[in-house]
Amino acid sequence: MFKAIICAAAFAVLSVSAVQAQESAKPATNAAAIAKLNGMKGVWKGEAQGFNQSGPFKLTQTERVGTMLGGDVLVIEGRGYDPTGTLQFNAFAILSWSNEKQKYELQAYNAGRSGTFKFDLTPTGAVWELPAGPNARVVNTITLSGDTWQEVQEYVAEGQPARKIFEMNLKRVSETEWPAAGAVMP
């Protein structure tokens, strides 16, 4: 019996030590890489316009952006409302840094579709893109300047000039602690 208690205690100590070792081995570069996007954090609102299969459209676009997991991920929710206030667009994304791949990974969800997309920093913001069929992609260029966020989306097909299909121009309306604020406590 005594031997079983000693074994159980040793196992518990080893388990706690393994968890602590994993936590201390966590690369600091995750949060540091995400911190480079602190200019995106906050609540944003502005006008958006674009073209889809039904023709031109205009929206009031909102974005809320914050960090979770101690700054390791950036969480983004975008909503677009038509002139009547009806929700027409809703997307959610998680941006993280992969130490293993040494690059950002943007996981995005919208209208039953999802994927992991290329995301790169630029001197004035970021560029992210997604595939749009054979030899085509959609390129989103984000320009941040103080409390303004402009994002232009272009359809780029091989052998054709890029075509602008969406643009949003937002102003930061407030800071936010979303989504980390309001966590369930014991």
Side-chain angles (χ1 to χ4, degrees):
M1 177 72 169
F2 180 72
K3 198 175 200 180
I5 291 172
I6 296 295
C7 286
F11 179 73
V13 168
L14 289 175
S15 295
V16 169
S17 297
V19 169
Q20 288 174 336
Q22 286 175 342
E23 284 298 311
S24 66
K26 177 181 144 187
T29 55
N30 289 16
I34 295 302
K36 292 177 182 179
L37 293 154
N38 278 345
M40 291 179 71
K41 290 169 56 176
V43 176
W44 301 80
K45 184 176 181 181
E47 295 182 3
Q49 56 198 4
F51 298 92
N52 61 23
Q53 295 169 341
S54 302
F57 63 87
K58 289 188 177 197
L59 300 171
T60 297
Q61 184 70 26
T62 65
E63 302 281 336
R64 60 181 175 165
V65 182
T67 56
M68 287 193 77
L69 304 177
D72 280 353
V73 298
L74 191 71
V75 179
I76 306 162
E77 181 192 31
R79 292 175 172 247
Y81 300 91
D82 69 17
T84 70
T86 303
L87 182 66
Q88 295 295 322
F89 172 82
N90 191 204
F92 181 79
I94 302 166
L95 181 65
S96 61
W97 173 258
S98 171
N99 280 308
E100 183 179 307
K101 298 175 186 174
Q102 289 294 295
K103 66 179 187 176
Y104 289 96
E105 294 178 334
L106 179 70
Q107 296 174 330
Y109 306 85
N110 168 256
R113 298 180 304 266
S114 65
T116 301
F117 306 107
K118 180 179 178 185
F119 186 98
D120 294 307
L121 296 182
T122 67
T124 57
V127 173
W128 66 280
E129 59 183 65
L130 55 139
N135 303 312
R137 63 193 194 287
V138 173
V139 178
N140 297 272
T141 303
I142 299 169
T143 303
L144 298 169
S145 178
D147 286 340
T148 63
W149 172 344
Q150 179 193 47
E151 188 164 344
V152 174
Q153 187 177 73
E154 295 178 300
Y155 177 79
V156 179
E158 189 175 302
Q160 298 177 21
R163 292 189 335 248
K164 182 165 67 169
I165 55 175
F166 181 78
E167 180 176 349
M168 67 181 194
N169 291 286
L170 310 177
K171 294 282 184 194
R172 186 188 327 265
V173 296
S174 69
E175 298 296 322
T176 184
E177 292 300 318
W178 178 87
V184 177
M185 301 301 287

